[in-house]
Amino acid sequence: AQSVSQHNHHVILSEAASLELGCNYSYGGTVNLFWYVQYPGQHLQLLLKYFSGDPLVKGIKGFEAEFIKSKFSFNLRKPSVQWSDTAEYFCAVNKDTDKLIFGTGTRLQVFP
Amino acid sequence: GAGVSQSPRYKVAKRGQDVALRCDPISGHVSLFWYQQALGQGPEFLTYFQNEAQLDKSGLPSDRFFAERPEGSVSTLKIQRTQQEDSAVYLCASRVDGELFFGEGSRLTVL
C-alpha cells in the first residue's frame, strides 16, 4: 500500500544537538512533500514544503529538508535544536489527488 | 477570523449519541478538508470539499459519518450513533497554494 513512513517515533536530544528526522514514501512519480509541526497545545502548522526545483528546501525556524528522489526520502534537519523545538513533527505527501497523506509523526523532546 | 475555527473544542458523548462538529475556514478559501487524528497517530484523511461540492469522501470510515458544506464556507461533520472507536481529534483545514491551514481540532471522547 502507498504510505508515508516516519521511522523515528520518539527522539530525545539536548539543546544544541543536531537533528535529523527520517521520512520515506512509497509513491512513484511526481509528489509534493511537506513537513508539519504541532507544538504542545497548538494546531498543526507548516514548517516547509517541496513542489519542484532545488531539492534542498529551507523552512521556518532554521529547519531544512532534502528531497532525494532515488531514495524516496524527504528528511528534516536542523543543525542545532532549541528547547522550543519540542513538538511533534509530521511528514506528509500528496500525489495526483488533493488529499494529503500523513506519517504517524515523530515526537521530539529537547532538554536544556 | 484570521485562522480556521473549530467548535466545540471538546465534546464528550455517550455511546449511541449523535454529534456535530463545526468548521469555519479562512475566508475565501475554496478547499476544505476534514481529518481524524487518533491518539499517537498522524492525521487520517476523511473528506474534501471544493466550495460546496464534496469531491472526495473516500476516508469516511462508515455511513455513520456525514459531512456537508451547503454554502461553500462553514462545514459540519456529523457522526451518528457514536461508538468508542470514534474517539479522536477531528481536524479541519482549508487550503491555498497547496498549503493546508489547520484549526485546533475538536476532541471527541465517546464513553
Side-chain angles (χ1 to χ4, degrees):
Chain A
Q2 295 177 327
S3 67
V4 179
S5 299
Q6 292 182 246
H7 302 295
N8 313 106
H9 297 294
H10 189 189
V11 173
I12 301 173
L13 294 173
S14 298
E15 276 193 318
S18 65
L19 170 72
E20 181 160 2
L21 302 182
C23 174
N24 289 89
Y25 59 93
S26 61
Y27 304 85
T30 302
V31 291
N32 298 322
L33 299 157
F34 305 78
W35 276 97
Y36 279 81
V37 62
Q38 189 167 27
Y39 297 104
Q42 297 188 26
H43 60 278
L44 277 163
Q45 54 189 286
L46 184 69
L47 263 183
L48 48 79
K49 61 187 177 185
Y50 172 80
F51 289 172
S52 63
D54 188 343
L56 185 61
V57 180
K58 296 204 182 292
I60 60 171
K61 304 187 180 187
F63 285 91
E64 65 179 30
E66 185 175 12
F67 170 51
I68 303 179
K69 189 172 182 179
S70 61
K71 294 184 178 181
F72 297 88
S73 70
F74 190 56
N75 292 356
L76 181 71
R77 300 194 293 247
K78 185 170 182 178
S80 176
V81 294
Q82 300 172 312
W83 176 78
S84 58
D85 293 324
T86 294
E88 188 134 23
Y89 293 81
F90 294 93
C91 180
V93 178
N94 76 356
K95 173 184 165 55
D96 298 334
T97 69
D98 289 293
K99 62 187 180 187
L100 203 55
I101 306 300
F102 285 83
T104 52
T106 297
R107 183 177 170 214
L108 172 66
Q109 280 185 291
V110 180
F111 288 97
Chain B
V4 177
S5 177
Q6 291 188 246
S7 61
R9 291 288 313 279
Y10 302 93
K11 176 70 179 177
V12 178
K14 291 183 179 178
R15 190 161 53 94
Q17 280 185 327
D18 298 348
V19 300
L21 308 176
R22 175 189 167 105
C23 173
D24 200 340
I26 294 171
S27 178
H29 283 195
V30 166
S31 301
L32 183 147
F33 296 76
W34 283 99
Y35 282 81
Q36 179 192 58
Q37 187 174 18
L39 192 63
Q41 301 296 315
E44 297 271 353
F45 171 81
L46 292 177
T47 187
Y48 157 58
F49 290 85
Q50 187 164 309
N51 294 306
E52 68 278 6
Q54 189 174 19
L55 299 186
D56 187 343
K57 54 181 181 179
S58 62
L60 296 176
S62 77
D63 58 8
R64 296 186 294 105
F65 286 70
F66 172 75
E68 60 183 5
R69 194 186 184 198
E71 296 178 359
S73 56
V74 171
S75 177
T76 304
L77 176 67
K78 297 179 179 177
I79 309 172
Q80 297 176 323
R81 305 180 304 280
T82 52
Q83 303 294 314
Q84 283 189 319
E85 62 262 29
D86 300 334
S87 296
V89 177
Y90 291 85
L91 299 170
C92 178
S94 62
R95 185 180 69 184
V96 71
D97 294 335
E99 177 179 348
L100 288 181
F101 293 84
F102 283 88
E104 294 188 348
S106 292
R107 181 179 296 277
L108 172 64
T109 302
V110 181
L111 303 177

